[in-house]
Amino acid sequence: MSQLTATPAIESSLAYLMQNYADYNHWANCTLINWLKTKPSEVVEREALSSFPTIRETLIHIVETQRYWLSVINPDADYSGQEFDGDLDETFSFVMAQSQELAEYVETLLPGDLSEETLVVNPWFECNFPKFEYIMQCMNHSTYHRGQIVTMGRNLGFTDAPMTDYNFYNVMAK
């Protein structure tokens, strides 16, 4: 069998990668939340220098940004701006549920859907990229802020952060 025949089409590979990355994002968010649930809530809510004053506010930023990007790739998604302002336990639940919703939606996208260009016009930028680019942006953004949360946790005295690297997920956690 030739290498060309054994290699899946680019479109199928792209669909696999986007689905796997969305599943990874859900797993990583849940792993981080489950770790944070073991910590005293008063410490998790304490201010720590970062982009956002607290871990909870950073989690809200993650979930609201994921909701925004879901509304970009899914025309049926309902999002009109930041609306969530729950307590810590509600924030934990919402991040996990929304990450699952995002992963489940990405699972429904066909290769042609992923390549479909979608115009985004907002106060900060305008672009017209394929949906897979927006999915990658969303997942990368969440990864960035999960890293900040680990650093904030370290500054608050948490020394046992979980491993949430993409390769760890692929090798050990799937």
Side-chain angles (χ1 to χ4, degrees), residues 40-79:
S41 59
E42 63 276 2
V43 179
V44 173
E45 294 271 16
R46 192 174 297 154
E47 285 200 17
L49 291 177
S50 194
S51 296
F52 297 93
T54 66
I55 289 173
R56 184 180 69 81
E57 289 178 66
T58 306
L59 289 168
I60 290 171
H61 175 70
I62 289 171
V63 77
E64 289 297 341
T65 302
Q66 288 184 176
R67 289 178 68 206
Y68 170 76
W69 286 111
L70 179 60
S71 76
V72 168
I73 63 171
N74 179 2
D76 296 329
D78 182 29
Y79 181 71

Side-chain angles (χ1 to χ4, degrees), residues 23-44:
D23 289 342
Y24 155 71
N25 181 70
H26 176 239
W27 169 83
N29 283 343
C30 289
T31 299
L32 186 74
I33 296 293
N34 287 329
W35 171 65
L36 290 170
K37 284 180 174 181
T38 69
K39 307 304 176 200
S41 59
E42 63 276 2
V43 179
V44 173

Side-chain angles (χ1 to χ4, degrees), residues 16-146:
Y16 168 79
L17 180 60
M18 292 303 100
Q19 291 168 3
N20 194 57
Y21 212 52
D23 289 342
Y24 155 71
N25 181 70
H26 176 239
W27 169 83
N29 283 343
C30 289
T31 299
L32 186 74
I33 296 293
N34 287 329
W35 171 65
L36 290 170
K37 284 180 174 181
T38 69
K39 307 304 176 200
S41 59
E42 63 276 2
V43 179
V44 173
E45 294 271 16
R46 192 174 297 154
E47 285 200 17
L49 291 177
S50 194
S51 296
F52 297 93
T54 66
I55 289 173
R56 184 180 69 81
E57 289 178 66
T58 306
L59 289 168
I60 290 171
H61 175 70
I62 289 171
V63 77
E64 289 297 341
T65 302
Q66 288 184 176
R67 289 178 68 206
Y68 170 76
W69 286 111
L70 179 60
S71 76
V72 168
I73 63 171
N74 179 2
D76 296 329
D78 182 29
Y79 181 71
S80 59
Q82 184 169 343
E83 300 165 0
F84 181 79
D85 190 28
D87 67 19
L88 187 60
D89 287 333
E90 292 168 329
T91 302
F92 289 163
S93 295
F94 191 46
V95 170
M96 292 190 296
Q98 199 287 323
S99 298
Q100 180 176 355
E101 177 187 7
L102 181 59
E104 287 174 354
Y105 180 73
V106 171
E107 291 276 335
T108 70
L109 296 174
L110 301 172
D113 299 329
L114 292 166
S115 299
E116 180 183 303
E117 290 188 352
T118 302
L119 178 64
V120 174
V121 178
N122 65 42
W124 307 280
F125 60 88
E126 181 176 321
C127 55
N128 191 24
F129 297 134
K131 287 183 180 180
F132 76 85
E133 294 279 3
Y134 300 130
I135 295 168
M136 289 301 298
Q137 164 56 31
C138 180
M139 303 302 112
N140 191 47
H141 177 269
S142 294
T143 299
Y144 174 81
H145 286 294
R146 281 192 302 270

